[in-house]
Amino acid sequence: MSIFAIADLHLTQDVNKSMEKFGWIDYDKKIFENWQEKVTSEDLVIIPGDISWAMDTIDAYPDLEKIKIMPGKKVLLKGNHDYWWKSITSLNKYDKDMFFIQNNIFEFEDYVITGSRGWICPNDSKYTEHDEKMYQRETLRLENCLKLAQKTGKKIILIMHYPPTNDKKEPSNFTALAKKYDVPYLIYGHLHGNDNFNASIIGLVENTQYHLVSCDYLEFNLKKII
């Protein structure tokens, strides 16, 4: 049994949403070929956000189908571009091996996976009253999810889409929650490009291992977490 992660697949059927302008050439092919090579039916793959460019759920199904046919169980989280993500109840009926995280938990072997999208952390460059409102809301959501996860007695894997700190890597409500609930693994995406990859925590800090899993950071290869 292994647990892998990769974020920001940005799958699309719309040529106008192509990621090639960012240098992502045949990236989806690379991701799924690597997935086939690494993952077995006994494994789990975590996808923390920005899954599809689709605007409506029905238009996202072709992209979800690409994930569905891949080996292993899958846990998916909403990202800031996942506008197609509507009813969590309907999504969790889509496929028995795909589980969508939203104010809930997913247990896998000795681990429990939970999380929320997160938001921009307080910073000196761009932080509005709206950002503060969203930041506090996401703090509450994450803590509620962590309370549910803690009750299982299993090791917690906390997933977010946004990074858990600002670009100065200062402590945040999110890192405080990771410490409070003794979270051994925190996985996030959202950061793209060499200039931004170092804009949050990567590595071990206060007993939590922080993993950036944006697909371009991983060179479109799934990362083995456990």
Side-chain angles (χ1 to χ4, degrees):
M1 180 280 292
S2 296
I3 298 177
F4 298 89
I6 188 166
D8 304 280
L9 304 187
H10 288 291
L11 300 175
T12 182
Q13 311 302 311
D14 184 350
V15 294
N16 294 319
K17 289 290 188 178
S18 171
M19 299 296 286
E20 289 191 3
K21 61 184 177 181
F22 300 109
W24 294 23
I25 309 301
D26 292 331
Y27 68 97
D28 51 345
K29 180 180 178 181
K30 294 175 184 177
I31 291 169
F32 291 125
E33 285 182 351
N34 183 259
W35 190 322
Q36 289 277 16
E37 291 172 3
K38 287 183 175 179
V39 181
T40 74
S41 61
E42 304 300 316
D43 299 333
L44 176 72
V45 178
I46 296 170
I47 307 175
D50 281 4
I51 300 154
S52 169
W53 278 116
M55 298 298 291
D56 297 306
T57 304
I58 191 169
D59 294 327
Y61 285 145
D63 296 330
L64 295 177
E65 191 68 19
K66 292 179 181 179
I67 297 170
K68 175 182 174 180
I69 63 176
M70 290 292 108
K73 295 185 182 299
K74 303 95 180 177
V75 170
L76 301 92
L77 180 78
K78 184 178 182 179
N80 60 302
H81 289 297
D82 289 315
Y83 298 110
W84 56 271
W85 184 299
K86 308 297 183 184
S87 166
I88 187 67
T89 302
S90 297
L91 288 174
N92 272 325
K93 293 177 181 178
Y94 178 68
D95 182 73
K96 64 181 181 61
D97 288 329
M98 294 175 69
F99 190 84
F100 296 80
I101 290 286
Q102 184 175 315
N103 304 319
N104 51 4
I105 61 175
F106 179 75
E107 297 182 50
F108 181 76
E109 302 289 344
D110 298 329
Y111 301 89
V112 55
I113 298 97
T114 194
S116 188
R117 181 179 61 176
W119 198 256
I120 299 168
C121 292
N123 63 83
D124 296 332
S125 58
K126 183 181 178 182
Y127 192 73
T128 66
E129 289 184 9
H130 173 71
D131 290 326
E132 174 64 15
K133 180 180 178 180
M134 297 297 291
Y135 175 67
Q136 295 299 337
R137 188 189 74 176
E138 287 298 303
T139 298
L140 291 174
R141 285 181 172 176
L142 275 173
E143 179 145 36
N144 288 336
C145 289
L146 286 165
K147 287 177 181 178
L148 288 175
Q150 190 179 58
K151 290 178 181 178
T152 68
K154 297 185 177 184
K155 296 176 184 177
I156 299 173
I157 299 176
L158 180 59
I159 57 176
M160 303 174 60
H161 179 65
Y162 283 91
T165 67
N166 61 22
D167 57 355
K168 292 183 179 179
K169 304 179 185 179
E170 296 171 326
S172 70
N173 289 355
F174 306 138
T175 58
L177 287 174
K179 181 178 181 180
K180 178 179 178 179
Y181 288 89
D182 195 24
V183 173
Y185 307 97
L186 192 154
I187 301 169
Y188 66 96
H190 188 67
L191 299 178
H192 299 298
N194 292 330
D195 293 340
N196 296 311
F197 289 150
N198 195 40
S200 192
I201 299 173
I202 300 174
L204 184 64
V205 177
E206 293 189 329
N207 299 319
T208 298
Q209 190 74 40
Y210 290 84
H211 293 277
L212 170 60
V213 297
S214 302
C215 67
D216 52 331
Y217 176 71
L218 300 180
E219 297 183 346
F220 310 105
N221 296 312
L222 279 69
K223 182 174 185 178
K224 182 182 283 189
I225 307 298
I226 297 164

